Amino acid sequence: MGIARTVGSDVFLDYFWIDTKIPFNKWFIFPYISWMPVLYLSFLYLALKNRNIYWRTLLIYNVSVMACNVVFFFFPTYVPRPDLLGTDVASRLVHFIYQSDAPYNCFPSVHCLTSYLLFITFKRDLTLKLPIRIFMYTLLWLIIASTVFTKQHALIDVFGGILFAEATYQLVRYVSSRNQRRDKQLTTSV
């Protein structure tokens, strides 16, 4: 059982034996659904705090998500979900997410990609006060963990999202620094 096992005519199961050992935990739906407000508020914060970091992070985000969509098109994946029991708030939220978001196109996880992108941007490019830093780092890693505990994603999706974010972050920083060096050489030679 692995990524090469097909579920449909062109959909691959990206669920490994280790994913069966990770228990479903409905309470992780709360960090999971916090993802979009965290994403938008973080971009708003970056726009207000440092426009250069904001634009670079927005570029990384868009390039990464476009790359994910290419993977989704050529390598569609599927993650099986558990049967839901319960009528408490967490169970109803999980049910709502399951109804709203089909279990396809899971590799790489966009939730993990964007959460990790925000994590490395905050960690490497900004100086945050300790309480804010601890809160944000914890929340972002809880969002990443929530993707597997809510059975929205498999572990490989998490690693794929992190890899896409890191690769795009490094690529954009490399191209940006190269362009800055070129611009500097052009201005000093004039």
Side-chain angles (χ1 to χ4, degrees):
M1 177 175 354
I3 204 157
R5 181 171 166 207
T6 59
V7 172
S9 60
D10 63 346
V11 178
F12 297 90
L13 179 68
D14 66 346
Y15 205 68
F16 292 92
W17 67 268
I18 195 159
D19 294 303
T20 65
K21 304 297 180 198
I22 299 170
F24 169 75
N25 186 322
K26 64 185 174 188
W27 300 108
F28 272 90
I29 197 64
F30 294 105
Y32 186 86
I33 63 172
S34 75
W35 171 72
M36 195 160 292
V38 168
L39 179 67
Y40 291 146
L41 290 172
S42 294
F43 273 108
L44 178 62
Y45 174 78
L46 290 173
L48 297 172
K49 184 77 172 168
N50 186 314
R51 285 293 170 118
N52 289 334
I53 294 172
Y54 165 75
W55 286 113
R56 188 181 70 230
T57 307
L58 191 60
L59 175 64
I60 295 166
Y61 169 79
N62 283 299
V63 169
S64 298
V65 171
M66 283 189 281
C68 287
N69 283 307
V70 170
V71 172
F72 298 158
F73 181 78
F74 288 106
F75 191 72
T77 57
Y78 167 81
V79 170
R81 292 175 170 166
D83 292 328
L84 296 176
L85 303 172
T87 57
D88 57 281
V89 174
S91 297
R92 282 187 277 162
L93 284 170
V94 172
H95 182 71
F96 173 76
I97 293 297
Y98 283 9
Q99 293 298 316
S100 306
D101 188 12
Y104 298 99
N105 295 329
C106 302
F107 178 85
S109 166
V110 175
H111 267 71
C112 295
L113 181 153
T114 53
S115 297
Y116 185 75
L117 172 60
L118 291 173
F119 170 75
I120 60 178
T121 300
F122 289 149
K123 185 170 177 53
R124 298 174 187 170
D125 299 327
L126 294 172
T127 305
L128 300 173
K129 293 179 181 177
L130 184 63
I132 295 169
R133 189 170 57 226
I134 291 169
F135 174 77
M136 286 306 296
Y137 293 177
T138 303
L139 180 56
L140 292 168
W141 282 105
L142 280 171
I143 292 170
I144 290 169
S146 75
T147 65
V148 292
F149 283 112
T150 59
K151 300 300 180 181
Q152 282 291 95
H153 289 281
L155 277 178
I156 195 166
D157 305 333
V158 172
F159 294 123
I162 289 171
L163 179 67
F164 270 57
E166 187 67 50
T168 311
Y169 178 90
Q170 295 299 335
L171 177 68
V172 168
R173 285 192 60 104
Y174 172 76
V175 170
S176 176
S177 67
R178 212 177 127 145
N179 287 341
Q180 287 174 352
R181 282 195 305 268
R182 188 196 65 217
D183 292 346
K184 194 174 189 178
Q185 287 174 346
L186 289 174
T187 57
T188 56
S189 65
V190 173

